Amino acid sequence: MIIGVDVGGTKIAVAGFVEGSAGGSAGSAGRGSARLRMVTDVRTVPTPADAGGPAVVRVVADVIAGLCDGAELTAVGIGTAGVVGADGGIFSATDAIAGWAGFPLPTAMADALAGIGADGIRVAVVNDVHAAAVAEAQIGAGAGSDSILMAAVGTGIGGAVVFADGLHRGATGTAGSLGHAEVVMPDSLAARQCPCGGHGHVEAAASGPAMEQTYLEKSGVRAGLREIDALAQRGDAMAIEVIDDGARFLGRVLASANALLDVDTIVIGGGVAEIGSRYLGAVESSYRTSALPGPSRARIVPAELAVDATLTGAAILAHALS
Ligand SMILES: [Zn+2]
């Protein structure tokens, strides 16, 4: 059994997979790894965030022990927030999990697995959006496409690039960091500091919390993004402006990114992408206006795999190591 794990700041989700295709669907050319089929339920446990990495790997190992129930474990793939270095260690991360940045996750996980009697298990660690993009490319919204750029728009803006021969992690694991692309924006937004410390970055203007902040500054009313979207649907001019501006900034960044990459499919996921058709329509129209003639023909599609994307992609990558 191959295990996929999604380590988030508040919860950890784990599921087991075996090789094989559920629906006999055709493999996507060139991606090299056999298809996986989820054979367990998805187990979810709270993240022991304050206790940090050593507690996280113990919790994950315990859940895996319960899931395997005698089945032979062959590989474990872990998707997690943060930049993952070439060695699978966490190169940088927020403080959502204490001491996560610098934590040697692959070796600590392998040690924890040895503690449940599973010795010598390969552990693959990958950024959570990178993992989600691998799953979308193989069995989700990007299935059948040659190359995808994924944008995950939620509390931050992440991204990933998957070419025909697989995930492009980049020299330092940072590839696809769309949120930190600069975009032309009004001074009031450009003055905001991005979580990375920079200014003028699209994440500071177009993430979910950023759009909520903009609405608060414009209207004096604190509202969640879904509420703002509902107001926009009822014709509230300020809400429309906030949603459309956020979408427009993202669309322009995607157009710049795809001038470099020229992928055939752009997949948009994350909580913000789920607020409704107005947002995705505005992203697409901004993209098509700004993109070069060739890349402007790229398909733009919403993500399909939702909450299981990261753990599924992590399992696919772990399996590819075997
Ligand atoms: Zn930034």
Side-chain angles (χ1 to χ4, degrees):
M1 188 182 290
I2 300 121
I3 299 289
V5 185
D6 180 357
V7 176
T10 56
K11 64 183 170 59
I12 295 170
V14 187
F17 296 78
V18 296
E19 203 172 294
S21 172
S25 52
S28 55
R31 291 223 170 81
S33 61
R35 288 181 171 270
L36 297 182
R37 183 163 50 92
M38 196 187 290
V39 290
T40 69
D41 55 342
V42 178
R43 304 253 172 107
T44 305
V45 291
T47 305
D50 294 339
V56 168
V57 294
R58 274 197 303 276
V59 164
V60 171
D62 285 347
V63 176
I64 290 173
L67 273 179
C68 277
D69 192 27
E72 190 195 350
L73 182 62
T74 56
V76 173
I78 303 174
T80 170
V83 173
V84 176
D87 61 357
I90 310 299
F91 179 73
S92 64
T94 66
D95 298 330
I97 300 173
W100 202 232
F103 186 65
L105 184 52
T107 49
M109 189 70 245
D111 289 349
L113 290 167
I116 59 162
D119 284 303
I121 301 300
R122 285 176 307 279
V123 178
V125 180
V126 60
N127 167 268
D128 52 2
V129 180
H130 284 188
V134 165
E136 292 288 350
Q138 191 179 90
I139 57 170
S145 63
D146 177 65
S147 47
I148 74 165
L149 168 63
M150 178 157 175
V153 191
T155 54
I157 298 181
V161 184
V162 183
F163 294 122
D165 59 353
L167 173 69
H168 177 70
R169 295 172 202 254
T172 65
T174 311
S177 297
L178 289 167
H180 308 292
E182 280 193 28
V183 65
V184 176
M185 60 179 77
D187 290 347
S188 59
L189 293 177
R192 271 189 207 162
Q193 194 170 45
C194 180
C196 77
H199 289 88
H201 293 184
V202 68
E203 180 166 310
S207 69
M211 287 194 273
E212 290 168 357
Q213 177 67 25
T214 306
Y215 187 76
L216 173 63
E217 287 170 9
K218 281 178 188 289
S219 69
V221 176
R222 190 175 293 281
L225 198 63
R226 282 181 186 279
E227 208 179 325
I228 297 169
D229 184 57
L231 286 165
Q233 286 177 39
R234 293 202 295 272
D236 179 300
M238 253 177 243
I240 289 172
E241 192 177 305
V242 167
I243 300 277
D244 286 3
D245 280 355
R248 191 156 48 86
F249 296 140
L250 181 71
R252 285 200 209 139
V253 162
L254 292 173
S256 296
N258 213 22
L260 295 177
L261 298 167
D262 198 10
V263 299
D264 63 22
T265 302
I266 296 174
V267 179
I268 302 180
V272 174
E274 290 163 11
I275 59 173
S277 57
R278 171 176 200 96
Y279 175 77
L280 285 175
V283 172
E284 178 160 359
S285 117
S286 160
Y287 173 81
R288 301 220 185 278
T289 303
S290 305
L292 290 171
S296 74
R297 299 203 296 255
R299 284 195 313 142
I300 298 188
V301 289
E304 284 179 5
L305 301 176
V307 294
D308 295 340
T310 290
L311 64 88
T312 301
I316 291 169
L317 287 163
H319 182 53
L321 289 180
S322 46

